[in-house]
Amino acid sequence: MSGEVRRAACHEEIDVRGLKYRLTRWGESSADPVVLLHGWMDVGLTWQFLVDCLPDDWSFVAPDWRGFGGSGWAPGGYWFPDYFADLDALLDAIAPYGPVRVIAHSMGGNVASMYAGIRRERLRWLVNIEGVGLPRTSPEQAPGRYEQWLDQLREGLRESRYESAERLADVLVMRNPRLTQSRAQFIARAWTRPVDGGVVLSADPRHRWINPVLYRREEAEACWRRIEIPVLLLIGEQSDALSRLGEDGTEERLRSVLRTARIVTMPDVGHMMHHEAPEAVARQIVEFARSLS
């Protein structure tokens, strides 16, 4: 697939726990859509490449998480449990009648996989693209983390500015040579809004602040162990997502905490595989879904 769009997207807005949420939809309106959950600093619209490779009789809805894309910003900052509550409210609004199918990437995959262990009846199946959590932390890291957070609060917000979306696209290709120029331009336009003298990222700059609360991997794994639904975990061969986790990133360890997961390593792709090789990712998803029907 090149840069052209095969399935037209449309947008709508709904209220989710007092914040405006932008939804991107593809296909006929349905009470049983496939829900697409994007990763950190991304937006729902960039699922376009994958949607174009998935079956035409599937309908899709992709929210922009709070503080990303066209959704509202949270003045008090961003706390991970809010994503569980947002997802809970969102599913009640868009798919209230039964368990849902979810495809999620990175941060979205982390939210969805923990949620699948919290609300075990709410999902039907999950495709998790590299949502494998963060490295373990220790209490000794807390003083430095709090100090860094306070320093960032004092410095204030800094928007990421580029002279044009085309310039951002060049940066994206430089950082990820597996990304085509046409896809990079699509992503750059989806990620930005115009301002005098160029464009800025549409994401709230607060997302770049360090979280003062240390990540507790033990809690994430406790949620994962409760998952009962089928899970397809896709890992990029060229990604460093697992190597950063040390022993927690071994397949043996992942299988011990994700008991229902089918783990597939995708060749020649990195962390952003749904942008780099959507056709290959779609084939895995369709095979997984058909094996369950």
Side-chain angles (χ1 to χ4, degrees):
M1 188 188 81
S2 60
E4 71 271 9
V5 169
R6 191 174 70 82
R7 300 185 68 178
C10 62
H11 301 292
E12 64 184 73
E13 292 181 358
I14 65 171
D15 179 88
V16 175
R17 302 177 59 234
L19 278 181
K20 176 191 75 173
Y21 251 65
R22 184 177 74 171
L23 306 181
T24 302
R25 289 187 182 269
W26 294 266
E28 297 294 328
S29 180
S30 167
D32 184 30
V34 177
V35 179
L36 307 171
L37 303 176
H38 70 78
W40 185 74
M41 300 305 288
D42 206 348
V43 298
L45 182 58
T46 67
W47 287 105
Q48 179 73 58
F49 315 127
L50 184 63
V51 166
D52 280 344
C53 298
L54 288 169
D56 287 345
D57 59 349
W58 291 9
S59 63
F60 302 89
V61 58
D64 292 352
W65 289 118
R66 57 171 55 209
F68 293 109
S71 290
W73 292 10
Y78 299 91
W79 310 96
F80 203 73
D82 276 322
Y83 296 113
F84 302 142
D86 285 0
L87 182 56
D88 211 39
L90 181 69
L91 294 184
D92 284 348
I94 64 176
Y97 302 115
V100 299
R101 300 162 291 170
V102 173
I103 303 171
H105 173 244
S106 194
M107 185 193 87
N110 284 310
V111 174
S113 58
M114 290 182 69
Y115 182 83
I118 298 166
R119 296 284 204 202
R120 288 184 287 178
E121 77 289 349
R122 201 61 184 92
L123 303 190
R124 189 186 317 169
W125 53 249
L126 169 63
V127 175
N128 180 352
I129 303 173
E130 294 228 330
V132 290
L134 300 175
R136 292 182 187 272
T137 59
S138 66
E140 290 73 24
Q141 295 172 254
R145 180 71 67 90
Y146 284 127
E147 182 178 27
Q148 186 176 353
W149 179 67
L150 290 173
D151 288 343
Q152 289 176 326
L153 289 177
R154 179 178 293 171
E155 292 170 4
L157 301 179
R158 295 182 180 179
E159 291 186 313
S160 297
R161 182 181 294 264
Y162 299 87
E163 61 188 42
S164 65
E166 289 72 23
R167 175 55 186 152
L168 173 56
D170 291 339
V171 172
L172 295 176
V173 171
M174 180 179 65
R175 292 175 179 171
N176 183 4
R178 292 180 294 271
L179 192 63
T180 66
Q181 187 68 38
S182 60
R183 288 179 183 149
Q185 290 176 1
F186 183 100
I187 294 165
R189 290 191 296 269
W191 283 5
T192 56
R193 56 182 172 83
V195 294
D196 290 342
V199 297
V200 296
L201 294 181
S202 56
D204 186 343
R206 292 178 183 85
H207 283 298
R208 293 192 177 277
W209 288 354
I210 195 167
N211 193 322
V213 178
L214 292 174
Y215 176 74
R216 294 187 286 269
R217 188 171 183 86
E218 297 84 355
E219 294 182 6
E221 291 184 352
C223 293
W224 298 348
R225 289 189 184 96
R226 284 168 47 92
I227 295 174
E228 298 176 346
I229 60 167
V231 175
L232 173 63
L233 175 61
L234 298 180
I235 302 296
E237 181 186 49
Q238 303 300 318
S239 171
D240 66 351
L242 296 188
S243 62
R244 290 187 293 108
L245 300 178
E247 292 183 1
D248 287 322
T250 65
E251 186 165 324
E252 180 181 7
R253 176 63 181 174
L254 290 174
R255 290 191 185 282
S256 73
V257 292
L258 291 165
R259 298 175 295 102
T260 66
R262 178 190 305 178
I263 302 175
V264 176
T265 298
M266 301 289 292
D268 304 319
V269 296
H271 185 63
M272 306 299 289
M273 66 181 77
H274 60 307
H275 292 171
E276 300 166 14
E279 301 93 338
V281 174
R283 283 194 295 271
Q284 291 292 336
I285 293 172
V286 170
E287 179 185 338
F288 171 69
R290 288 177 177 168
S291 74
L292 304 175
S293 59

